[in-house]
Amino acid sequence: MDQVFAQIRSDLSSNDGLRQAQALLAALQYSAAGKDISSLSRIACEEIIASPASAVCKKLAFDLIRSTRLTADQWEIVCRGVKNDFDFQDSDVTAAAVSIVAAIPSWRLGKLIIDCSKEISNCLVDNNPNLRYNIVETLGCLLARDDVVTLCESNVTLLERVSTWWKQIGQSMLDASDAVSKVAFEGVGRLFTEFSTKRLSRLAGDKLIPSEASLAIRSAWVSAMCRFVWEKRDFLMARSLILPVENFRATVSPLVFAVKAVTTGMVEEMQAITGQQGSPRSPLEERDFVNAERILGVSDLVSHLVPFLSSLDPALVFEVGINLLSLADVPGGKPEWASAPIMALLNLWDRQEFRAGRESIVRAVVKNLQLLDLHMQVALFKRLLVMVRNLRVDADRMHALACICRTALCVDLFSKESVRRGQKPLPGTDVTSLFEDPMTKEDLANVSSNSLFREELVACLVESCFQLSLPLPRVKSTGSESRVIGALAYGTGNEVMNWTQSALEVVEVCRPCVKWNCEGRLYAMDCYLKLLVRLCHIYETRAGVKKSKDGASPEQILAETRLQALQRQLVKDLSEVSTVRLRARIIWALAEHFDLEGLDPLLADDPDDPLNIMVEHIHTVLFNVDNATVAATNRLQDVQAILVCSQHLGSRNVRAAQLLTKELEEFRSSNLADSVNKHQCRLILQVFKHITKHTDAKWVGVGAPTGDYPFTHHKLSVEYFDGSAAQDRKLEDLVHTAVQELWRPAPSELALLTNKNVDVTLLRPPPNCVCLSGSSDPCYVEAYHLTDPSERRLTLHLKVINMTEQELKRVDVRVGLVGALHFMDAQPQAVRQLQNLISQVSIMSSVTVGVSRFERCGLGVQLLYYPQYGVQVSANGDDGEGMEEDEKAMHMGRHRKSFVPEYGEPVVLRCQTYWVPLIELLVPHKCSPVEFFRIWPSLPAIMEYTGAYTYEVGELKLGATSEGGIPSFLTGLKSLANKPFHRVCAHILQTVAGFQLCYAAKSWYGDFLGMVIFGASEVSGDLGEETNTVICKFVLRASSSSLLEEIRGSLQDWLDNLTDGSVRVVSDEEMEAASLSKVKRALELLTMPKIVVTPPPPEPDSDDDELVPGMKPPKEPSTLSINLTADEIEQKALQSAVLQQWETFRAQYSVP
């Protein structure tokens, strides 16, 4: 192989263009075969790129360097060759050089663009279409990337050049050349796509976290381009029609995005972000004209695109269909604009050549279902469920199901309200139409099916019903989301309980799910029973069916009757339930809300009586010892739930109390009951005994119904986990995520920035800069970092300032890695070459690295500058004389002398290591307090440490708060609000300055981390001092011990990053010493001799007008004589109220 590479080097060094081309082709073949050709890159740069060569050799050399890695010096040679090729006489050579600009790394790209800006502008207006094609294609791929936007933040000149080039690219869409026009459309489409998806930056490896400045720059480009496309839309549509059919697809996306942005007002929002003043408020007639013009513009674009839905090219049909759907929800849109593309997309489903796009088809159709009329929506339900069933990705399937369920509920509510208002009913618009498909019906009725789709469907439908019970979100802008909210508001606006009518149909049609045998999975059945309990609680089914003379409406009477029938049917289905655990949960759902008074007393001995059936199955659950899986299941939880159900039933009915007394006595005396269960049985039997003796006081044993179903949110004290629980939690997370994102999506940064009433805490705080250089160093270096948890990447931004009075010709920035970091190109270190550093002028540079795991990591920075840089000598020993003649001869023949710069000895400036805080590798994990305390005991790794901080003594008074509105004794922990932790709950006792704070987070790699902070500040007024130090106990638990090991390794650094240096670590020795000192001080105060002060004799009162002096009656003591402040009076009043409440509570609940 060495001989082959030597021959290739020899051919590259020759003057023969044919030999050079063959050598480059051979090198590319070895690169494609996986061989390392990095040894050929330098000679290719020097002999081909930096020297005159043909256009073919240039292109092959650029392909060669794309397939290998170059050093910083080699990139300098490439940039010098590209700059020379811009002035080359052959425009094809210039076109070849232009194509490599997009591959130049970010740290060298900015200077090259500024140096060659004039040449790039000339290429855009060159007469050669090949050169215009290459420059437009390169700039379209390059200028939309994140790294270019970041460079424009710190360089106003570069920003002006890039903005001008975008205008020229927009004008190139009307170019006479079809190829140039196509790549111009693609470039504008990339700019629009990068505004939301960042796909190009992610593929280029330059995806950075956008700041507000970068968002404003990109918004300015997008808004200007949208304005241009809107003004020239007629010309652009006419230009797209004369393009070849295979190129028409590139014109669809930019036209649709720009027209929609102008029509929906997004352009004005982007102008507000950039700080530009919007258009002045126009008169009403002019605004009407503008709205009419926008509607006509959208209609013209739709008419322009609709004929292409019948094309034979599947990719073109998909592109046109997706973009037409986005136009259907603009103001003034029509259902016909959505029906045609949806039908065209559904026709692609069965085409063999488009099977890879099925997920995209389903996602596009279900997302825009609400744009169709009711008949077409109902007609699509059956077909869509079959399509969704075949999706492979769980998240896509859950999102599609959530969209379908929301649309079905929306259609059902809308049709019911229309019928109530006197319109003709529409057949097939109820929720049960979702289950009319034969396959879905079969799955629903089958007891032992291996299909997970039926569980997902029931769970999504039930969770969507719960979303209906919540207040509808406010939607300001018009569009598809506003149409859904409007339809739901129309359907639920008549009565408060109107949503329950659709929910009642859901619990009726999903009733067979209680018979399913899902191999231990219970999430779908839990969702169903939770909705049933909620409906029974709302309609108060325990009191029977209300009558019209009691004020009940006909709809309410009908709903209560249906619920009563459903409860009785569920009681009959108890014998067909597959598992004992599910049987116990069904009994819980029925016990509190079943109408026991409505039972026929003559059927008390009938085995089919509902009460007898429930008592029989209560016995089955209590004495469940025949099942071989009892030890593996959560029997303790089942028994606990059944005992509570028994109390609910027996306390409301005498016959139920009598039947259950026998069962509980038998269970209490058996070996199956532990001490806790026996004690609970004793209490329940005492309640039953009291009810039997006092039949008129039968409501004493139980209070009002709570409507609670504790199994879904884990409120029971006994909780064990089996193998199926993990599958339930996975399904629960998928369903909740899909439903939440659909019904109540999180606001985007664009919406937050354009909202005037935005909470500043929702925006990303600016990063803190860290100085890495010393005070006397010739170069000032400061750095900050931005993180991307989704990509697990980190970008370090460096600002270098020349503090000397001389210009530094070259400065190398070397970045090394410490810990679990790696560069994107797998290099051991990164080198950034900065040239021509002018005094007191800052230069930005950035490095993007990946993070492999949760570990303390850092980036070592080193600066090297060369005082002798710039002096050149020839490689053959000649001096620099005659170089001008050689440079003139380069255009006539090949110059064989190579000149290399003389670097000289570098001056090394070692900077401090930039350490990445461990908390930056965490993301907040939102969970409820109940879920947090359920997970907390199961976390295997635990760690505890103590911290302390001080605050002002004057702030110790009761009710005092800091500027942020938090108690003053929490000022040391106020920085936690800006850290990547979700505050689960907080318990604060201001009277004693104590608190408990709970936080939850996850690492970038999915490991859970919980943190509980206990704190107290003792007030020792009796000892003559006030303590102003808060002692905090930090308790951390994690799912992996590696997290806590990393935190324990640098505990004070972790605490400094967590609290911004407010809290310090306190060791156990310091705590013991402080306690001993406090006890010693207290003993000293107690042993001090007491000094008795004799009160002075009372002075005679000059106003004493009594007959006998000194015999005046004493005055009554007055509380006004004590000088108390307002805070002290409030504190004493609050203490008195607390003591009085405690005495009342103790007297009420004390056991005689």
Side-chain angles (χ1 to χ4, degrees):
M1 187 60 66
D2 295 338
Q3 297 179 356
V4 175
F5 281 3
Q7 182 63 36
I8 292 177
R9 294 190 193 95
S10 176
D11 293 341
L12 291 176
S13 302
S14 65
N15 291 327
D16 190 357
L18 181 60
R19 290 179 59 189
Q20 290 177 344
Q22 292 176 350
L24 290 171
L25 288 174
L28 287 173
Q29 290 178 353
Y30 285 114
S31 176
K35 303 295 182 180
D36 184 12
I37 59 171
S38 57
S39 60
L40 302 176
S41 58
R42 184 172 186 84
I43 192 170
C45 293
E46 294 178 352
E47 300 294 338
I48 306 296
I49 297 177
S51 303
S54 64
V56 175
C57 292
K58 290 278 187 179
K59 291 180 181 179
L60 293 175
F62 289 140
D63 293 337
L64 180 66
I65 66 174
R66 285 192 187 98
S67 62
T68 185
R69 296 189 297 268
L70 301 184
T71 63
D73 295 334
Q74 292 172 357
W75 276 120
E76 288 294 334
I77 297 174
V78 172
C79 293
R80 188 168 63 250
V82 170
K83 187 176 179 180
N84 294 333
D85 289 341
F86 271 118
D87 298 328
F88 204 77
Q89 296 177 355
D90 189 358
S91 58
D92 291 335
V93 174
T94 305
V98 163
S99 62
I100 196 59
V101 175
I104 294 176
S106 304
W107 55 269
R108 188 60 179 84
L109 183 62
K111 188 174 185 302
L112 178 65
I113 293 178
I114 293 177
D115 295 341
C116 303
S117 59
K118 183 179 179 181
E119 290 80 3
I120 292 175
S121 301
N122 294 334
C123 292
L124 287 170
V125 295
D126 194 84
N127 295 326
N128 188 354
N130 184 30
L131 180 56
R132 296 201 309 273
Y133 173 85
N134 282 276
I135 190 65
V136 171
E137 183 184 30
T138 301
L139 293 180
C141 296
L142 176 66
L143 300 184
R145 284 178 9 196
D146 280 347
D147 54 345
V148 177
V149 180
T150 305
L151 291 173
C152 292
E153 290 184 34
S154 56
N155 196 323
V156 181
T157 304
L158 180 61
L159 176 61
E160 294 176 355
R161 304 278 171 80
V162 174
S163 301
T164 304
W165 292 338
W166 274 121
K167 295 178 183 178
Q168 293 179 321
I169 293 174
Q171 295 171 358
S172 298
M173 291 189 290
L174 299 173
D175 195 272
S177 173
D178 291 341
V180 176
S181 178
K182 176 204 171 186
V183 295
F185 273 107
E186 290 177 347
V188 175
R190 290 190 190 98
L191 173 65
F192 294 157
T193 305
E194 284 295 291
F195 187 70
S196 55
T197 62
K198 303 291 184 64
R199 181 177 180 273
L200 188 64
S201 298
R202 187 179 296 110
L203 293 177
D206 296 320
K207 183 176 184 295
L208 309 176
I209 306 299
S211 61
E212 294 187 15
S214 65
L215 185 61
I217 292 173
R218 201 186 295 270
S219 300
W221 295 344
V222 173
S223 60
M225 196 58 62
C226 288
R227 289 290 185 187
F228 175 80
V229 174
W230 173 257
E231 294 171 359
K232 303 290 184 181
R233 62 185 182 278
D234 295 333
F235 299 99
L236 292 174
M237 286 189 289
R239 182 67 182 90
S240 64
L241 289 176
I242 61 177
L243 286 175
V245 179
E246 60 272 12
N247 296 342
F248 180 81
R249 187 160 61 98
T251 67
V252 178
S253 176
L255 285 172
V256 171
F257 184 93
V259 171
K260 184 175 180 180
V262 174
T263 307
T264 57
M266 191 175 72
V267 172
E268 285 77 5
E269 295 179 354
M270 288 186 287
Q271 289 178 347
I273 294 176
T274 59
Q276 302 175 3
Q277 296 293 334
S279 57
R281 191 172 183 85
S282 56
L284 181 61
E285 296 80 4
E286 187 176 351
R287 290 203 301 271
D288 293 340
F289 173 77
V290 171
N291 294 334
E293 182 188 11
R294 291 178 175 180
I295 294 175
L296 289 176
V298 177
S299 179
D300 292 342
L301 184 58
V302 171
S303 303
H304 168 72
L305 295 177
V306 164
F308 292 92
L309 291 175
S310 57
S311 174
L312 297 178
D313 184 10
L316 179 59
V317 175
F318 180 79
E319 186 73 20
V320 173
I322 292 294
N323 285 276
L324 277 178
L325 284 176
S326 65
L327 284 177
D329 63 344
V330 300
K334 301 178 181 179
E336 294 80 7
W337 295 357
S339 59
I342 282 182
M343 297 310 299
L345 290 174
L346 291 179
N347 292 333
L348 290 178
W349 179 266
D350 298 325
R351 297 182 65 167
Q352 295 290 335
E353 63 270 23
F354 206 72
R355 284 186 176 273
R358 286 190 167 185
E359 288 81 1
S360 302
I361 291 175
V362 175
R363 190 183 303 111
V365 172
V366 299
K367 186 179 180 180
N368 299 276
L369 268 177
Q370 65 277 356
L371 302 176
L372 304 174
D373 55 7
L374 296 182
H375 295 281
M376 194 169 183
Q377 290 184 31
V378 175
L380 286 177
F381 283 158
K382 303 176 186 178
R383 184 174 181 183
L384 283 176
L385 284 177
V386 177
M387 296 167 65
V388 172
R389 182 192 295 268
N390 296 325
L391 294 181
R392 296 167 296 177
V393 182
D394 295 337
D396 292 342
R397 193 165 60 248
M398 290 299 105
H399 177 74
L401 281 177
C403 292
I404 293 174
C405 293
R406 185 177 73 163
T407 306
L409 292 173
C410 181
V411 170
D412 183 68
L413 287 172
F414 191 87
S415 60
K416 282 183 171 59
E417 184 62 23
S418 300
V419 171
R420 186 180 294 110
R421 299 189 181 189
Q423 299 181 12
K424 184 179 178 181
L426 298 175
T429 56
D430 50 0
V431 181
T432 57
S433 60
L434 287 175
F435 301 91
E436 291 181 357
D437 180 64
M439 186 178 299
T440 307
K441 276 187 176 181
E442 182 181 356
D443 273 351
L444 196 64
N446 192 358
V447 175
S448 58
S449 175
N450 295 327
S451 174
L452 290 174
F453 179 74
R454 60 178 186 174
E455 301 176 41
E456 298 168 351
L457 177 59
V458 171
C460 277
L461 190 57
V462 171
E463 292 294 342
S464 300
C465 290
F466 281 115
Q467 292 294 325
L468 277 179
S469 63
L470 302 176
L472 297 176
R474 295 182 180 180
V475 180
K476 294 172 56 179
S477 61
T478 57
S480 61
E481 200 64 24
S482 64
R483 294 190 181 193
V484 174
I485 302 303
L488 293 176
Y490 176 80
T492 58
N494 187 28
E495 296 180 3
V496 178
M497 295 189 299
N498 204 339
W499 70 272
T500 59
Q501 298 182 10
S502 298
L504 183 57
E505 292 187 3
V506 170
V507 295
E508 287 179 340
V509 73
C510 297
R511 184 180 58 84
C513 72
V514 298
K515 305 177 184 178
W516 292 348
N517 184 6
C518 301
E519 300 177 353
R521 298 186 301 273
L522 295 174
Y523 175 65
M525 288 72 84
D526 282 337
C527 292
Y528 171 81
L529 294 175
K530 182 172 64 172
L531 181 59
L532 175 65
V533 170
R534 177 76 63 86
L535 292 176
C536 293
H537 179 68
I538 291 175
Y539 285 103
E540 297 181 358
T541 55
R542 66 186 300 179
V545 179
K546 301 175 184 60
K547 299 180 180 179
S548 57
K549 65 180 181 180
D550 298 330
S553 62
E555 292 85 358
Q556 183 178 355
I557 295 174
L558 179 60
E560 291 179 357
T561 305
R562 292 165 63 183
L563 272 176
Q564 294 276 353
L566 180 62
Q567 286 179 333
R568 293 176 180 269
Q569 188 62 41
L570 285 173
V571 172
K572 295 180 181 179
D573 293 339
L574 280 174
S575 58
E576 302 180 26
V577 176
S578 57
T579 61
V580 177
R581 174 177 296 181
L582 184 56
R583 194 175 304 174
R585 299 187 179 188
I586 295 175
I587 295 174
W588 175 282
L590 296 173
E592 193 176 21
H593 303 281
F594 197 84
D595 183 19
L596 297 176
E597 301 301 324
L599 298 177
D600 191 352
L602 299 177
L603 299 178
D605 297 333
D606 189 0
D608 295 333
D609 181 68
L611 182 57
N612 293 335
I613 295 176
M614 282 192 286
V615 172
E616 177 186 355
H617 288 286
I618 287 175
H619 176 85
T620 304
V621 176
L622 291 177
F623 295 92
N624 178 30
V625 293
D626 298 333
N627 191 356
T629 60
V630 167
T633 58
N634 193 356
R635 183 180 179 276
L636 292 177
Q637 187 190 82
D638 300 338
V639 171
Q640 185 187 39
I642 284 296
L643 293 178
V644 178
C645 293
S646 302
Q647 184 175 355
H648 285 318
L649 290 172
S651 60
R652 294 193 294 117
N653 187 270
V654 177
R655 186 165 69 92
Q658 295 174 352
L659 294 175
L660 291 171
T661 299
K662 178 183 178 182
E663 300 294 337
L664 294 180
E665 287 285 0
E666 184 179 356
F667 176 71
R668 182 186 174 188
S669 60
S670 65
N671 296 329
L672 298 176
D674 55 14
S675 59
V676 177
N677 292 333
K678 291 180 179 180
H679 181 68
Q680 190 172 3
C681 289
R682 182 180 63 84
L683 294 178
I684 296 174
L685 290 174
Q686 288 181 356
V687 172
F688 290 171
K689 184 178 180 180
H690 177 80
I691 292 174
T692 306
K693 293 181 178 180
H694 306 83
T695 56
D696 296 336
K698 57 186 176 181
W699 296 100
V700 173
V702 66
T706 60
D708 187 25
Y709 185 76
F711 303 97
T712 55
H713 46 276
H714 319 286
K715 278 188 177 179
L716 295 177
S717 59
V718 181
E719 188 71 31
Y720 291 96
F721 301 97
D722 49 18
S724 60
Q727 299 179 0
D728 280 341
R729 299 289 79 77
K730 178 183 177 182
L731 179 60
E732 180 182 6
D733 182 65
L734 289 171
V735 172
H736 282 182
T737 302
V739 172
Q740 190 70 22
E741 289 180 353
L742 182 65
W743 285 81
R744 286 164 176 82
S748 61
E749 281 195 6
L750 181 63
L752 291 175
L753 291 174
T754 54
N755 188 5
K756 296 181 180 179
N757 299 324
V758 64
D759 185 6
V760 294
T761 59
L762 298 176
L763 298 177
R764 183 183 297 109
N768 297 323
C769 295
V770 178
C771 179
L772 303 181
S773 59
S775 58
S776 60
D777 291 338
C779 288
Y780 174 79
V781 182
E782 70 175 13
Y784 68 91
H785 74 279
L786 298 173
T787 58
D788 185 5
S790 60
E791 298 289 337
R792 298 175 182 176
R793 293 182 182 181
L794 180 146
T795 301
L796 179 69
H797 294 271
L798 296 168
K799 182 169 73 172
V800 182
I801 302 178
N802 179 14
M803 303 300 293
T804 64
E805 297 180 358
Q806 300 176 355
E807 180 181 356
L808 300 179
K809 297 296 184 180
R810 171 176 171 177
V811 175
D812 291 349
V813 181
R814 296 182 180 179
V815 180
L817 303 181
V818 180
L821 299 178
H822 63 274
F823 290 108
M824 298 295 102
D825 53 0
Q827 289 286 342
Q829 69 175 3
V831 180
R832 301 290 184 261
Q833 287 186 359
L834 308 177
Q835 295 184 359
N836 301 327
L837 270 70
I838 304 175
S839 177
Q840 304 300 324
V841 176
S842 63
I843 293 182
M844 299 297 297
S845 180
S846 61
V847 177
T848 301
V849 297
V851 186
S852 302
R853 58 188 178 275
F854 185 86
E855 182 179 317
R856 188 169 185 262
C857 50
L859 294 96
V861 181
Q862 188 181 73
L863 263 65
L864 291 83
Y865 68 92
Y866 300 84
Q868 303 296 327
Y869 180 77
V871 180
Q872 295 182 346
V873 297
S874 61
N876 57 1
D878 297 336
D879 56 6
E881 298 179 359
M883 288 183 60
E884 296 182 357
E885 291 78 2
D886 292 334
E887 291 178 357
K888 294 180 182 178
M890 287 180 66
H891 297 283
M892 297 180 294
R894 186 173 182 84
H895 181 57
R896 300 307 306 154
K897 292 183 179 181
S898 61
F899 289 86
V900 295
E902 179 65 28
Y903 299 148
E905 288 295 330
V907 178
V908 181
L909 173 63
R910 292 180 175 85
C911 303
Q912 298 178 9
T913 302
Y914 185 89
W915 293 102
V916 180
L918 283 174
I919 60 173
E920 294 291 338
L921 306 182
L922 299 173
V923 291
H925 178 67
K926 293 184 178 180
C927 61
S928 63
V930 174
E931 183 72 10
F932 178 82
F933 288 110
R934 179 187 68 85
I935 298 176
W936 180 262
S938 63
L939 299 174
I942 186 171
M943 172 186 174
E944 298 181 2
Y945 60 91
T946 306
Y949 63 89
T950 59
Y951 58 94
E952 296 296 332
V953 180
E955 295 179 351
L956 191 60
K957 295 180 180 180
L958 184 66
T961 57
S962 62
E963 296 179 358
I966 61 175
S968 300
F969 51 85
L970 287 177
T971 53
L973 302 176
K974 63 181 179 180
S975 60
L976 280 170
N978 300 325
K979 303 304 178 183
F981 279 92
H982 171 65
R983 185 167 176 172
V984 180
C985 58
H987 306 282
I988 301 174
L989 302 176
Q990 295 196 12
T991 55
V992 295
F995 56 88
Q996 175 191 357
L997 307 176
C998 301
Y999 294 90
K1002 275 191 174 182
S1003 69
W1004 289 4
Y1005 312 93
D1007 296 324
F1008 182 86
L1009 176 64
M1011 180 173 64
V1012 179
I1013 306 175
F1014 302 93
S1017 177
E1018 298 181 1
V1019 182
S1020 53
D1022 296 336
L1023 303 182
E1025 61 179 5
E1026 291 187 354
T1027 304
N1028 63 338
T1029 301
V1030 176
I1031 304 298
C1032 301
K1033 187 73 173 181
F1034 292 81
V1035 182
L1036 277 68
R1037 302 195 73 158
S1039 58
S1040 175
S1041 59
S1042 60
L1043 272 71
L1044 301 185
E1045 290 296 332
E1046 292 296 330
I1047 295 173
R1048 188 180 289 109
S1050 55
L1051 189 55
Q1052 186 60 55
D1053 293 339
W1054 161 266
L1055 206 53
D1056 290 341
N1057 296 326
L1058 192 66
T1059 61
D1060 291 341
S1062 300
V1063 182
R1064 64 180 181 89
V1065 177
V1066 179
S1067 62
D1068 296 338
E1069 292 78 8
E1070 293 181 29
M1071 291 291 297
E1072 294 178 1
S1075 301
L1076 292 175
S1077 176
K1078 188 175 181 181
V1079 173
K1080 184 178 180 180
R1081 177 69 181 277
L1083 293 175
E1084 290 178 355
L1085 291 175
L1086 290 176
T1087 56
M1088 290 178 62
K1090 296 182 179 180
I1091 301 176
V1092 180
V1093 180
T1094 305
E1099 297 180 359
D1101 194 354
S1102 60
D1103 298 334
D1104 192 359
D1105 55 353
E1106 295 293 332
L1107 296 177
V1108 181
M1111 296 300 293
K1112 185 177 180 179
K1115 297 181 180 180
E1116 295 292 332
S1118 174
T1119 56
L1120 299 178
S1121 61
I1122 304 176
N1123 296 326
L1124 297 177
T1125 62
D1127 293 336
E1128 292 172 347
I1129 294 175
E1130 182 182 359
Q1131 182 178 3
K1132 288 181 176 296
L1134 183 58
Q1135 290 176 352
S1136 301
V1138 171
L1139 292 176
Q1140 183 179 3
Q1141 184 68 23
W1142 166 249
E1143 293 295 338
T1144 305
F1145 178 84
R1146 187 178 63 175
Q1148 182 179 358
Y1149 293 96
S1150 60
V1151 180

